[in-house]
Amino acid sequence: MKLARTAALMLVLVVVVTLIGGCGGDGDDKSKSATATQSASPSDRADDEVKLTLVAESTKFDKTTLETPAGKDVALTMENKDSVEHTFSLYQSADSNDLLAGGEKFSGPRFLTYQFQAPETPGTYQFRCDIHPSAMNGDFIVK
């Protein structure tokens, strides 16, 4: 009986050690994650995406200038810390009413990510909150 119990205990130990060894890792095996990352085309697009942030608080933006390369995909995450509605809206110029990107209104506190493509033509464009355009605006520089 003692021999059967010892054999069963040894089998359980082998299974446990095998499971622990298979699940763990010291994090030095970089080839697995690199291969997975290199072969996935959606992640290639994510690498090309420009990530910008903008905060609306007390009816002001935290930045008056945003920059991006021409023609790149942009993910602009705006945090609205106010309880009132704000927008991120991109225009050709300060006096233009032809919306190039953005425009969705949302009240806070909340985050919203605007996805768009930067203009192909380098230059200085205008961003603003359509609800508070004189208090919340800035330059969107495309290089």
Side-chain angles (χ1 to χ4, degrees), residues 3-108:
L3 183 61
R5 186 179 292 163
T6 303
L9 183 58
M10 292 296 280
L11 181 61
V12 168
L13 280 172
V14 168
V15 169
V16 168
V17 168
T18 303
L19 287 174
I20 291 172
C23 293
D26 59 3
D28 286 342
D29 188 4
K30 294 178 181 154
S31 64
K32 288 182 185 176
S33 63
T35 303
T37 306
Q38 290 172 356
S39 65
S41 62
S43 69
D44 290 343
R45 284 193 298 265
D47 289 342
D48 288 341
E49 183 177 70
V50 176
K51 292 175 175 54
L52 301 174
T53 61
L54 192 62
V55 177
E57 184 174 19
S58 302
T59 316
K60 292 185 284 192
F61 284 133
D62 69 326
K63 297 177 183 91
T64 57
T65 303
L66 298 170
E67 291 185 16
T68 185
K72 289 286 192 177
D73 289 333
V74 176
L76 183 138
T77 300
M78 184 170 134
E79 180 182 7
N80 183 355
K81 292 185 174 185
D82 295 335
S83 60
V84 298
E85 287 185 326
H86 293 301
T87 70
F88 165 82
S89 302
L90 182 62
Y91 295 93
Q92 182 77 36
S93 64
D95 51 341
S96 176
N97 289 320
D98 294 326
L99 183 66
L100 299 176
E104 184 177 339
K105 298 176 187 177
F106 73 105
S107 58

Side-chain angles (χ1 to χ4, degrees), residues 102-142:
E104 184 177 339
K105 298 176 187 177
F106 73 105
S107 58
R110 197 174 123 208
F111 289 87
L112 179 65
T113 299
Y114 295 92
Q115 301 274 350
F116 60 96
Q117 185 176 22
E120 292 285 339
T121 306
T124 301
Y125 296 79
Q126 178 77 25
F127 71 89
R128 65 181 180 240
C129 170
D130 285 330
I131 301 164
H132 311 98
S134 60
M136 302 176 74
N137 58 68
D139 292 331
F140 191 88
I141 300 171
V142 176

